[in-house]
Amino acid sequence: MLEAKHIAKAFGGERVLRDVSLRVDQGQVVAIIGRSGSGKSTLLRCLNHLETVDAGEIRIDGRPMVTTGPGGTPVYAPKAELRALCLKMGFVFQNYNLFPHMTVMRNLCQAQERVLRRPKAEAAERATALLAQVGLSDKAGQYPCQLSGGQQQRVAIARALALDPEILCFDEPTSALDPQLTQEVLGVIRDLAREKRTMIVVTHEMRFAREVADTVVFMQEGVIRAVGTPDEVMGDHRSEELSVFMGLLGDD
Amino acid sequence: MQYLNDPDLLMKLLSQLAGGMLTSLSIFFSTLLFSLPLGLVVALGRMSRRKWVSVPVSFFILIMRGTPLMLQLFTVYFFLPRLVGPIPRLQSTMIAFSLNYAAYFAEIYRGGIMSIDRGQYEAAQVLGFTRSQTFLQIVLPQTVKRVLLPVSNEVITLVKDTSLATAIAVGELFLVAKNATSASGSVEPLFIAGLFYLAMNTVVTFFFHWLTRRFEYYRG
Ligand SMILES: Nc1ncnc2c1ncn2[C@@H]1O[C@H](COP(=O)(O)OP(=O)(O)OP(=O)(O)O)[C@@H](O)[C@H]1O
Ligand SMILES: [Mg+2]
């Protein structure tokens, strides 16, 4: 469903991603873990075209988003195709990034109406259903600033879902939240996993990753150090290096 | 106290000043009508990634903000007609003021636009909004709220700046008052004109209070 090969990305000489390859299949939940600065966000942002890659290839449903050109430089798909491919991906930010001047309802409907050109009634219906799903039916008329962080993040998840993405990406969706609000948001993501939604989740929540993910990707200094089932990466038979890292994160 | 002690004379003066104020208001409103939207165009030009757009626009802003408005008024009044034919005094004033205020508004808008969090652009991008949709539906509406206060400052200054049109003998409030003072030898007309400006700016102030409250429905 999503295939990234040999992705490289540097910021002013600092090589943040070096030769990263990742594959995500239909219905899979992939958790990306790793120390701060290891390149997790950058990888996720490259997959969503929030950053451009310096090298490598990304395909979504077999359609190339970026391929390697003759000179070895990356060549992105034409604008329209790029937009279509990016719409197959949803993105939930660490700090929500809701539109503060719009009500919760408008936040959920605006892109449906203006990007997907859905009729207003249909968009509203979808938004209402999603708000119910994330447990915020009573907040439709509120503005984001009137909601708690956990509620805002759930709205952000509903907003992403409203466009029916094939893959939903989360960049540390709970790291701005206190433990209780974190559980609210993780609960929603857990439900999505149960529905067999394809997801890529960057997280520091080890227990959650272990419980929800089919595949855990461990990153370190811009490379993928380990990929496997939660047990393989986080279980008792993990390598010493991983053990040290897990220890640092306070895993049990 | 020759005016204040003579109701007939005072009434005559007040009606003259009121006539002058209408001219001042026409400068005021036409300047806003042109400079508020023009400022947005200038701001976008200033922020353009194309050097051949942003460099001349920056130069325009520098000139407009860096030289006296009165000098700009003279320039438009005396030199522009040589290029395009005769322009009446009032219209010269409106042109000079509109250009000058557009430069100030442009910088205010630019500050407001740049203060919008990058996350808003990123959220818009991942939701599939085009660049122009992002600007019009997400960035601009939030900018309006943020620029309200600095814009209100400029608008208040504009009320008083209309008096500069006296320099090219446009019959606005200040000129009417000045002439009355010259004719009578009393400074009362000038002070009464001052009250007129104060009254106009009181209205402006209340208007912006009202507008600010209308944007209080969200924080940010
Ligand atoms: N826009 C940018 N400009 C310059 N450097 C950047 C930029 N974005 C990220 N970096 C650098 O790239 C490195 C990897 O950052 P990244 O955000 O991908 O790490 P991360 O694994 O997500 O870390 P965290 O867990 O703290 O979120 C960091 O050293 C960071 O300073
Ligand atoms: Mg990160």
Side-chain angles (χ1 to χ4, degrees):
Chain A
M1 171 159 258
L2 178 132
E3 194 165 22
K5 280 187 193 159
H6 312 302
I7 303 294
K9 175 74 184 175
F11 289 111
E14 189 198 349
R15 290 163 70 202
V16 175
L17 295 178
R18 345 180 189 189
D19 195 16
V20 170
S21 298
L22 180 72
R23 203 192 139 90
V24 181
D25 294 317
Q26 174 90 47
Q28 214 182 6
V29 178
V30 176
I32 304 179
I33 59 171
R35 210 169 290 172
S36 185
S38 56
K40 307 179 299 287
S41 299
T42 307
L43 173 60
L44 205 58
R45 292 167 57 81
C46 283
L47 299 178
N48 284 272
H49 194 45
L50 287 169
E51 306 280 359
T52 52
V53 301
D54 294 341
E57 309 195 342
I58 299 171
R59 269 169 228 280
I60 299 169
D61 289 340
R63 284 156 67 180
M65 176 170 141
V66 54
T67 51
T68 308
T73 53
V75 179
Y76 273 90
K79 218 170 167 181
E81 171 72 355
L82 200 54
R83 250 165 63 81
L85 288 175
C86 287
L87 273 174
K88 288 172 175 283
M89 313 272 283
F91 199 102
V92 175
F93 297 87
Q94 182 174 350
N95 48 0
Y96 339 126
N97 290 335
L98 294 175
F99 303 131
H101 60 303
M102 297 179 183
T103 60
V104 166
M105 196 62 177
R106 202 69 330 260
N107 264 281
L108 263 60
C109 290
Q110 192 76 4
Q112 293 190 65
E113 292 168 11
R114 304 303 180 88
V115 177
L116 299 186
R117 310 242 165 256
R118 262 187 205 151
K120 273 183 189 281
E122 196 186 322
E125 198 177 313
R126 181 94 176 91
T128 307
L130 284 166
L131 281 180
Q133 188 181 337
V134 299
L136 293 173
S137 295
D138 53 332
K139 304 291 183 194
Q142 308 259 52
Y143 286 88
C145 63
Q146 297 170 296
L147 306 181
S148 74
Q151 292 170 335
Q152 290 190 49
Q153 191 60 296
R154 286 185 280 156
V155 172
I157 293 171
R159 181 176 70 173
L161 288 171
L163 301 185
D164 302 317
E166 292 176 16
I167 305 176
L168 195 51
C169 303
F170 298 82
D171 188 5
E172 297 190 27
T174 60
S175 60
L177 303 172
D178 67 30
Q180 193 195 334
L181 299 183
T182 294
Q183 288 313 316
E184 282 177 21
V185 172
L186 294 186
V188 170
I189 302 175
R190 220 174 262 130
D191 292 344
L192 294 172
R194 247 176 245 128
E195 294 173 7
K196 288 287 156 217
R197 263 191 190 276
T198 316
M199 295 190 281
I200 310 174
V201 187
V202 171
T203 184
H204 283 140
E205 301 284 334
M206 291 299 137
R207 286 249 299 280
F208 172 76
R210 207 161 168 166
E211 167 199 348
V212 171
D214 308 300
T215 304
V216 175
V217 172
F218 171 53
M219 286 188 73
Q220 192 178 38
E221 288 168 5
V223 294
I224 293 182
R225 272 287 140 80
V227 187
T229 63
D231 257 353
E232 283 164 0
V233 180
M234 308 163 89
D236 295 332
H237 304 293
R238 64 205 177 188
S239 73
E240 194 161 328
E241 190 182 30
L242 290 182
S243 303
V244 170
F245 171 74
M246 301 304 163
L248 284 176
L249 284 182
D251 181 47
D252 40 29
Chain B
M1 289 288 168
Q2 57 171 296
Y3 284 97
L4 293 184
N5 292 333
D6 182 344
D8 284 346
L9 206 58
L10 184 64
M11 284 316 291
K12 201 168 149 237
L13 175 69
L14 288 179
S15 79
Q16 283 171 345
L17 291 177
M21 189 172 83
L22 283 183
T23 307
S24 297
L25 286 174
S26 74
I27 298 170
F28 174 78
F29 282 113
S30 49
T31 299
L32 288 184
L33 184 69
F34 292 113
S35 63
L36 284 171
L38 186 59
L40 187 57
V41 177
V42 175
L44 292 176
R46 172 71 182 74
M47 288 188 293
S48 171
R49 263 178 256 147
R50 286 177 266 265
K51 278 268 178 292
W52 59 270
V53 178
S54 66
V55 170
V57 171
S58 304
F59 187 68
F60 166 80
I61 294 174
L62 180 65
I63 297 290
M64 287 296 144
R65 298 202 308 165
T67 62
L69 177 52
M70 200 186 290
L71 179 59
Q72 293 165 20
L73 188 57
F74 283 143
T75 308
V76 169
Y77 181 59
F78 291 112
F79 294 104
L80 198 57
R82 296 194 186 172
L83 299 177
V84 300
I87 308 173
R89 294 167 200 279
L90 188 60
Q91 276 73 353
S92 299
T93 310
M94 291 168 178
I95 293 169
F97 275 50
S98 296
L99 293 175
N100 180 274
Y101 273 81
Y104 280 95
F105 287 138
E107 286 295 88
I108 292 172
Y109 296 164
R110 188 165 72 95
I113 291 168
M114 289 195 318
S115 78
I116 302 295
D117 183 52
R118 233 186 72 203
Q120 294 288 304
Y121 291 90
E122 293 188 345
Q125 188 193 323
V126 296
L127 291 169
F129 289 102
T130 62
R131 275 170 55 104
S132 63
Q133 282 178 325
T134 303
F135 183 71
L136 292 174
Q137 295 169 33
I138 289 145
V139 176
L140 199 56
Q142 295 183 58
T143 302
V144 174
K145 175 169 172 146
R146 297 196 185 184
V147 301
L148 230 42
L149 190 63
V151 163
S152 75
N153 269 332
E154 288 306 318
V155 174
I156 283 174
T157 302
L158 173 61
V159 168
K160 295 170 291 179
D161 273 356
T162 56
S163 64
L164 289 174
T166 293
I168 59 167
V170 173
E172 42 65 61
L173 179 55
F174 198 80
L175 187 73
V176 173
K178 204 177 72 171
N179 288 345
T181 290
S182 310
S184 66
S186 157
V187 292
E188 284 163 88
L190 284 174
F191 280 95
I192 295 170
L195 292 177
F196 276 60
Y197 286 109
L198 190 61
M200 287 190 275
N201 269 331
T202 305
V203 174
V204 170
T205 302
F206 275 107
F207 172 74
F208 275 98
H209 275 317
W210 172 80
L211 208 55
T212 306
R213 267 204 304 279
R214 288 212 38 185
F215 278 92
E216 267 167 11
Y217 63 88
Y218 77 91
R219 253 201 331 264

